[in-house]
């Protein structure tokens, strides 16, 4: 397994959403069967509007896939 620390940019919007959805599901805040399209759109819009401007986020890539953010 290879790991790499990266500074997130706009290209990570899909991965950022995937991790947020996994977290919400794990915490019981959403169910896999729910229609999450509005939440997905709002999350991606927020990420894209703020990343690199007001928000700085780092991510850990494992074998080329985003595994964690901070």
């Amino acid at each position: 397994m290879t790991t790499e620390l990266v500074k997130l940019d706009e290209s990570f919007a899909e991965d950022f959403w995937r991790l947020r959805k996994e977290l919400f599901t794990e915490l019981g805040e959403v169910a896999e069967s729910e229609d999450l399209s509005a939440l997905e759109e709002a999350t991606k819009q927020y990420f894209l509007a703020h990343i690199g401007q007001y928000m700085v986020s780092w991510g850990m890539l494992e074998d080329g896939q985003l595994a964690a953010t901070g």
Side-chain angles (χ1 to χ4, degrees), residues 9-40:
D9 61 22
E10 294 86 0
S11 69
F12 287 96
E14 285 293 327
D15 292 312
F16 184 82
W17 163 245
R18 178 181 51 79
L19 288 177
R20 295 290 293 175
K21 184 173 90 170
E22 288 174 10
L23 175 63
F24 292 148
T25 303
E26 183 179 322
L27 295 175
E29 295 178 3
V30 299
E32 286 287 335
S33 59
E34 267 182 84
D35 178 10
L36 302 177
S37 56
L39 180 59
E40 177 180 2

Side-chain angles (χ1 to χ4, degrees), residues 55-69:
M55 179 173 80
V56 176
S57 188
W58 295 90
M60 181 60 71
L61 297 179
E62 286 185 354
D63 296 328
Q65 183 174 7
L66 191 63
T69 63

Side-chain angles (χ1 to χ4, degrees), residues 17 36-48 50:
W17 163 245
L36 302 177
S37 56
L39 180 59
E40 177 180 2
E41 183 64 25
T43 300
K44 288 178 183 177
Q45 282 183 3
Y46 182 88
F47 180 82
L48 292 171
H50 294 91

